Amino acid sequence: MTQCLPLKSTAIHAKFAGREIIVMVPFFAEAENEILDVQPGDIGYYPGRQTICIFYGDTTPFGKVSVFAKITKGLEKLHDIGGYILVKGVIEAGLTSSDKGSDGK
Amino acid sequence: MSRLITECEIRNAAQNGITFLNIEPGTIVTPLARDTAQSLGLRLGYEAGKKEANIKADAAFTGKAAPATSKMIGLLDDYLKRIWPAEPPDLKNLRKFKLPPMGNMPCVLYASFNLFWLGESMQVWRAAAQKRAIPLKELSYVVSQDMGRHAGRLAKWQMEETVEIIRLLEKYFASQGPQSHEDCVTVLTRALVALDRMQNWIDAVIPWSKMDEALKGLRTLGTYEQTGDGFHPQAINEERMQMLIDKVVKQIIREMR
């Protein structure tokens, strides 16, 4: 994931699963500790479509996701953003890294 | 160009990634050739001044040997680089198709399904290659057949660049291009990312929320009663339902730019 940052992509809203924003990434990664029981705030990678899935409310994922991160603040703001994307269809999205990882990199 | 087009010419053209065959006036096209062209998604027509066939594939691979693994990977990476950042030309072509011959569901929905199921197939083949569950020769054969079918289905949407890359994949696997299961995994992984990106673009232009709202409206127009032998519609205001359907369809078409 970090190797492809910063990344410009597009974000759409889930049509089936619930409160989920989906951003496509240009790589395939094998499933890792994938789960169906996601919680609001979970961020996961979905190998089925090579997408980053941001769960911001009640969601039943389309398929198992490899959850690798958690939103620690600002989750409530995603409700408005999600609603906007749902109506708009697609928006431009960017993924960047702003914090160092646990190894200092 | 011969003055007789048979099924053989059509199949050869399709195998070479051709999606439009320019037929000069006076040329005879056999009924079987027409049927085959339709089933393979190859358009027949005449455009004055246009080259005989609308070939966009790299000339090195048209009618010649299939790409080697490294070249196939390069082609897929180039395709992804082109379509990743902005709406691809193939999507612009697809937008020209509004409604199918019957029904009110927009054509982009069907094109999205076509690519979605290709993605699902590739996941299965990739997993099979990773587990070496199928011998390489047989795996390459079925993957090539699968690619060919999907290319045929997609061709009707004039998504020429996408169909071309799938036809090249078909050719690669048909010619036993992968030298190992690892080659299969590598190529299919790249193909997955590239073609799923195209599907993602198409999905993004489907007016999902409008269709959702329309269905919500339709549900209020009628209810169903459950009896011992199933569900039966109650009285429905059919005139009002038809007006609503027409209004929603027109709005959807308008908003698809």
Side-chain angles (χ1 to χ4, degrees), chain B residues 37-238:
Chain B
Q38 192 172 30
S39 71
L40 295 176
L42 192 156
R43 291 182 301 120
L44 305 179
Y46 175 65
E47 290 184 30
K50 192 158 183 167
K51 284 176 68 173
E52 181 179 284
N54 183 19
I55 303 174
K56 284 195 179 163
D58 184 335
F61 302 110
T62 305
K64 297 182 183 175
T69 298
S70 55
K71 185 72 183 182
M72 190 70 245
I73 290 169
L75 289 167
L76 286 163
D77 286 351
D78 287 344
Y79 171 81
L80 179 64
K81 243 183 251 172
R82 286 195 301 276
I83 70 166
W84 182 269
E87 181 172 300
D90 275 358
L91 183 55
K92 289 186 169 65
N93 284 348
L94 176 59
R95 283 180 188 277
K96 294 177 202 164
F97 295 88
K98 303 298 183 189
L99 290 176
M102 65 165 283
N104 295 304
M105 304 301 273
C107 283
V108 285
L109 203 62
Y110 297 93
S112 182
F113 290 156
N114 287 156
L115 264 175
F116 179 86
W117 290 114
L118 171 56
E120 292 297 294
S121 284
M122 287 194 287
Q123 291 270 359
V124 170
W125 300 133
R126 185 187 175 278
Q130 215 171 21
K131 293 173 188 160
R132 296 172 182 250
I134 305 173
L136 184 61
K137 186 178 165 192
E138 284 77 2
L139 179 60
S140 295
Y141 171 76
V142 290
V143 174
S144 76
Q145 295 294 299
D146 200 26
M147 292 291 177
R149 284 191 76 90
H150 285 289
R153 285 199 175 278
L154 277 163
K156 61 180 163 292
W157 307 121
Q158 294 181 30
M159 294 171 59
E160 293 172 355
E161 204 175 3
T162 302
V163 170
E164 174 198 324
I165 202 76
I166 299 171
R167 286 281 182 211
L168 282 168
L169 282 163
E170 179 193 4
K171 189 178 276 196
Y172 167 72
F173 283 102
S175 65
Q176 301 290 318
Q179 300 302 299
S180 62
H181 283 94
E182 286 73 25
D183 277 356
C184 270
V185 172
T186 303
V187 170
L188 285 170
T189 302
R190 297 295 229 279
L192 255 174
V193 176
L195 292 167
D196 277 352
R197 176 51 170 162
M198 189 69 229
Q199 193 269 332
N200 189 257
W201 277 116
I202 299 174
D203 181 272
V205 303
I206 295 172
W208 292 107
S209 61
K210 289 279 178 288
M211 295 195 296
D212 203 56
E213 287 299 315
L215 269 175
K216 213 190 303 185
L218 285 174
R219 283 207 186 96
T220 65
L221 293 177
T223 57
Y224 285 80
E225 181 195 9
Q226 184 178 9
T227 62
D229 61 347
F231 288 87
H232 304 277
Q234 299 298 293
I236 296 174
N237 186 331
E238 295 208 6

Side-chain angles (χ1 to χ4, degrees), chain A residues 54-82:
Chain A
I54 305 167
F55 304 102
Y56 66 89
D58 288 335
T59 319
T60 305
F62 196 64
K64 289 185 177 179
V65 294
S66 306
V67 174
F68 66 90
K70 185 104 183 160
I71 295 171
T72 54
K73 58 181 178 182
L75 179 62
E76 63 286 352
K77 292 180 188 167
L78 286 180
H79 282 265
D80 287 338
I81 295 170

